Amino acid sequence: DLLALCEDKVLKILANKDAVFNADGNPQLTANERVLGQTIPFVGEYGISKNPESFASESYRVYFTDKVRGTVMRLSMDGLTPISSHGMKDWFRDNLRLSNRLVGSYDDKKDEYNLTLIDTSTTLSFREDVKGWVSFKSFVPENAISCANEYYTFRNGVPFLHHVEDVDRNTFYNVFTNSNVTVLINDMPGSVKSFTTINYEGSEARITLNLQDNDYYNLQDR
């Protein structure tokens, strides 16, 4: 079948067959009468707006943005789903409208949908296994593509290969960027919460040096 991504609607068009429906909407008969047959809209008033460059596909899933409605969409076997609602609804509603080009790509090696907001120099990633947006990235490509289980991005018309073991971490286009983590864990202070996707290993938490309390434990920074 043919998938049609319109500005305000997503349609499935039957190819090389025509369907006859009963009153309850169930197809009962198909016939090879026309090259393109019945047009069937997906449930939901979403489209790709005017950003076809945000489209990326992987297996039976496709990803794209709807800038007009401030959402990032996934079309899968269960229909249309606004994946921007996974903890980033307000952020996308505020930031998608600030960029004219929204470049989408799928990283087969990391199983991530990468979305780049060109005008604001922002790239962030969505993963299916955690159903959420896992990271902002420090690289801002002009375009990107996966080929033969490798991920390539383009900068100034030059292709760059990602996930190379002998290249320093956080180094993209010969520029190094430090990692940082911003944690929001008190969204609803009145409820007891359990976090299952945060794991931390490191040294002892920071101790503020205090030389006035005569406590030996506080005489040295840790």
Side-chain angles (χ1 to χ4, degrees), residues 10 42-47 64 73-76 78-82:
V10 181
F42 286 94
V43 177
E45 295 296 328
Y46 296 102
F64 58 93
M73 304 298 302
R74 177 192 64 209
L75 176 60
S76 186
D78 57 352
L80 284 170
T81 303

Side-chain angles (χ1 to χ4, degrees), residues 43-208:
V43 177
E45 295 296 328
Y46 296 102
I48 201 171
S49 297
K50 295 183 179 180
N51 300 101
E53 70 278 2
S54 66
F55 176 88
S57 63
E58 185 275 329
S59 187
Y60 55 89
R61 293 185 292 260
V62 299
Y63 303 87
F64 58 93
T65 62
D66 189 344
K67 179 180 175 181
V68 173
R69 293 163 182 82
T71 59
V72 183
M73 304 298 302
R74 177 192 64 209
L75 176 60
S76 186
M77 298 180 68
D78 57 352
L80 284 170
T81 303
I83 59 176
S84 53
S85 297
H86 294 295
M88 298 285 285
K89 182 177 181 179
D90 290 338
W91 190 93
F92 280 111
R93 185 172 294 174
D94 294 338
N95 288 272
L96 284 182
R97 59 185 177 86
L98 302 178
S99 186
N100 292 320
R101 286 196 66 218
L102 305 171
V103 177
S105 61
Y106 195 87
D107 186 347
D108 286 341
K109 204 159 190 176
K110 295 296 184 180
D111 293 325
E112 294 177 344
Y113 170 64
N114 293 329
L115 177 63
T116 300
L117 287 65
I118 297 294
D119 294 339
T120 58
S121 298
T122 306
T123 300
L124 62 166
S125 300
F126 177 85
R127 288 182 66 99
E128 288 288 344
D129 55 355
V130 298
K131 300 295 183 184
W133 298 87
V134 295
S135 179
F136 285 89
K137 302 295 180 64
S138 59
F139 59 89
V140 181
E142 298 166 346
N143 215 322
I145 190 172
S146 285
C147 181
N149 203 32
E150 297 287 357
Y151 185 62
Y152 300 88
T153 62
F154 298 84
R155 184 74 171 180
N156 297 324
V158 178
F160 289 84
L161 175 63
H162 287 237
H163 316 307
V164 180
E165 293 296 332
D166 56 357
V167 176
D168 292 338
R169 302 279 180 161
N170 293 8
T171 302
F172 301 99
Y173 317 133
N174 299 320
V175 177
F176 173 79
T177 304
N178 285 317
S179 295
N180 64 83
V181 179
T182 301
V183 182
L184 303 175
I185 61 174
N186 202 28
D187 188 33
M188 294 188 298
S191 63
V192 178
K193 297 173 288 294
S194 176
F195 299 96
T196 59
T197 57
I198 296 177
N199 183 31
Y200 171 77
E201 290 185 13
S203 60
E204 189 173 352
R206 187 186 66 170
I207 296 176
T208 303

Side-chain angles (χ1 to χ4, degrees), residues 35-46:
V35 175
L36 296 179
Q38 181 77 23
T39 300
I40 305 172
F42 286 94
V43 177
E45 295 296 328
Y46 296 102

